[in-house]
Amino acid sequence: MENLQEQTSFLQNTFFARYKNKYFVEINDGLLIVPKIAYEHPEEVKAREQSLFKLKQRLLEASGRSDAGAVCMICSEGSTEEVFLFPTSREANHFVCLDCLKKEAEGETKMILYPDDREDPFAVTEYRRICFEHREEWKRFLKELVAQPPHIPDEFSLTTTIPNKKTLLTEQTTVSLENIAISATLFFVLLSKTKVRVGENLSLFGEEDGEDCIEEHDTTRNTPVLLRKNKTNQFNPSLFLENISNIPSKSIACTYGIHLVDISTRLLSKLKTGECGRCNYLSLEMEKEEHLEEILPMEDRSIFVGEIILLFLMNYAVSILSKLAFHEDNEMAYMTLEADREDHIRPILDMENRSIFVEKIKERIIIRNYAVTILPKLRFHEDNETYKLFLFADQENHIRPILAMEDRSIFIGKIRKTILGNYAVSILSKLGFHEDNEMASLSLFARQEDHIRPILAMENRSIVIGKVEGIIRLEKYAVTILPKLRFHEDNETHVLFLLVDQEDHIRPILDVENRSIFVGKVKSICPEKYAHNILSKLRFHEDNETKGLFLHFDVEKEEYIRAIFDVEDRSIFIGEAENISLYKYAVNILPKLRFHERNRMVNLELFADEEDHIKPILNTGNRSIDIGGIKKLKLRGYAMNVLLKLKIGEDNEMEEFYIWSYMANILSMGDGSIEVGRIKRKGFDVPEEIKPKLKYILVEEEGHEVETS
Ligand SMILES: [Zn+2]
């Protein structure tokens, strides 16, 4: 910085902490301590007030008057310890408080009334003069300060007495911290800019705006600390880590703040926290493997972290899970473990299974990649109930040790939502859920066949799933393992998603027998693309009903249902279904569906916008698809031609009958050759040229026949 003005404004704008009127500025070379750079500092204000006070005392003595009992002529406040009154004129007949005087001098509020005979507004003039003199003096001081080379000590003991001169602490300065309490921010700057020596009785506190960053050691200040690493300026990581290494273990007292994010695991072992510490969110990172060296020899559960709601351990930090000690009443809500390399978790691999206590986790467990390997080492409380379990593994190595374990040997407790991704799908059979577990959803996705290969070798129906009441969602190769899953006989699932965009995803299933995969009761079946091919393989509970929901299939390509063409008509038993909509090639599924005898269809909607969509179904006999009683029939596009194939109950009365068509084979049929029964007049919507081909009776709301054809 070239000129003094720039340098002074830099100092004034960049201090990050202060102690009394000493200011701490972080610069590239180190930590600069400068006195008096802020003009509005309370001590500066006090000095101005003292000058005004002295002037007032002289004036009162000279005029022989007193301010006893006087009040401010503007706000009517009397004088107190904090408020003193200043005479408005040399005669001291009236007074004004300093607040009101300041407003008048700065904002010209014109509230102070001066005697008529006086041109001179005494109070404001004096106030401005004193401020001006102080500011000039302060500027001279700053000028000297900036020009002055800093004192650079080799040793510096940080105490409540800070030298009143410009001081620069650098990488060469050993800063002793002993019998003192300092703010965590100041501590982190010292760690990254100087050589720190921690002696006895050091404690840290969190910052609060404008407060001193240094306190006597026996202070009761315990504002929680957030331990945020300083990321400004040029941060020297090796100096920072060396400093942390040199700190004696558990030597620094503090209260943990609520969110400890990305903090150094190494530092954590140096801290001691009281029982009252409530860190809700602890996220640990570990920079290098050698940092484990000093933590691994520590006893298990020796780093007390109090009550934690969210725990996030990444890479090497995963290895210290067993070292953390929680408050005895702790109930974690979220735990995330992520490790990308085997060496991140190697220390844990030698531990006994079920030796790391994690007890109960209420909301969510997320375990990724190599951290999945240590799953058997975790010990959950037998009453553990977790809302969501997410396991994801991208390499076979992540799960290999688990594959050798017995089925259901990794006890997790009750889990409402289970999500397994890629290789983690392979360990589904190894997970031991609580025997009364009822899942709300089960979601499995596998992008490669390798991800599920171990399961393909298993017997059909050998992986016990029990009940899933909400959603079963199988994606890509995970669909392949459907025959291996064993659902409870009374399973009732809301939606079954089969998400398949390659034929490969379902190929092994095409060889299993029709109706051999029991899925229980399913309200809504949502196959995607090729998954329609396996509809005939599913077996639903005989009392299955999709009431209220639409059974909706939309098939864009013939190959998505090619396997269905080969199954016999009426062989896919759905149970009861009130609302059915079949789009495009899915129209051809209609003859294959079979419903419960007591089924009453309400809505049937068929839609085909290409002639090809309906070609296969046109080969079935006329009036061969018995849809029984129906309330609303909608045929759109080429699907209108399917009308010939439908057999509608004789006494049926439809509320809506809707045809919207491009062209129709029907036109070549004899007049009155297609029976559609009784239809409510207002729900009858059929092109004029089609009407002659139909045999129908239109009725009014009350049932009177009004028109027959
Ligand atoms: Zn006042």
Side-chain angles (χ1 to χ4, degrees), residues 97-115:
C97 76
L98 285 196
D99 277 352
C100 293
L101 179 55
K102 184 167 186 265
K103 277 183 207 141
E104 178 90 0
E106 289 171 357
E108 303 198 26
T109 49
K110 303 219 183 321
M111 299 285 282
I112 301 180
L113 304 174
Y114 298 101

Side-chain angles (χ1 to χ4, degrees), residues 318 321 335 337 345 348-349 352-356 358 365-380 389-392 398-399 401-402 405 409-412 415 420 424 427-428 430-432:
V318 173
L321 178 58
M335 179 174 80
L337 307 176
I345 48 110
I348 294 190
L349 291 181
E352 301 254 318
N353 281 348
R354 307 195 67 207
S355 62
I356 303 177
V358 287
I365 302 170
I366 298 177
I367 305 184
R368 279 176 187 274
N369 295 345
Y370 273 104
V372 174
T373 319
I374 69 158
L375 190 57
K377 311 296 180 187
L378 306 183
R379 185 187 192 115
F380 291 95
L389 170 70
F390 177 90
L391 304 179
F392 178 85
H398 299 151
I399 50 134
I402 295 180
M405 296 178 64
S409 60
I410 304 175
F411 178 81
I412 302 185
I415 304 286
L420 306 183
I427 63 165
L428 177 59
K430 310 299 179 186
L431 302 181

Side-chain angles (χ1 to χ4, degrees), residues 71-77 83 85 95-101 103:
V71 294
C72 169
M73 67 182 299
I74 297 174
C75 70
S76 305
E77 287 283 329
V83 183
L85 301 176
F95 292 86
V96 62
C97 76
L98 285 196
D99 277 352
C100 293
L101 179 55
K103 277 183 207 141

Side-chain angles (χ1 to χ4, degrees), residues 324-342:
L324 300 180
F326 305 100
H327 192 281
E328 56 182 351
D329 297 330
N330 192 47
E331 269 197 39
M332 230 188 282
Y334 304 89
M335 179 174 80
T336 300
L337 307 176
E338 286 189 19
D340 291 330
R341 297 208 312 266
E342 190 175 7

Side-chain angles (χ1 to χ4, degrees), residues 588-601:
N588 300 292
I589 300 177
L590 187 61
K592 310 296 181 184
L593 299 179
R594 186 165 66 81
F595 302 98
H596 203 286
E597 280 167 10
R598 61 172 177 262
N599 189 47
R600 293 288 171 264
M601 215 185 284

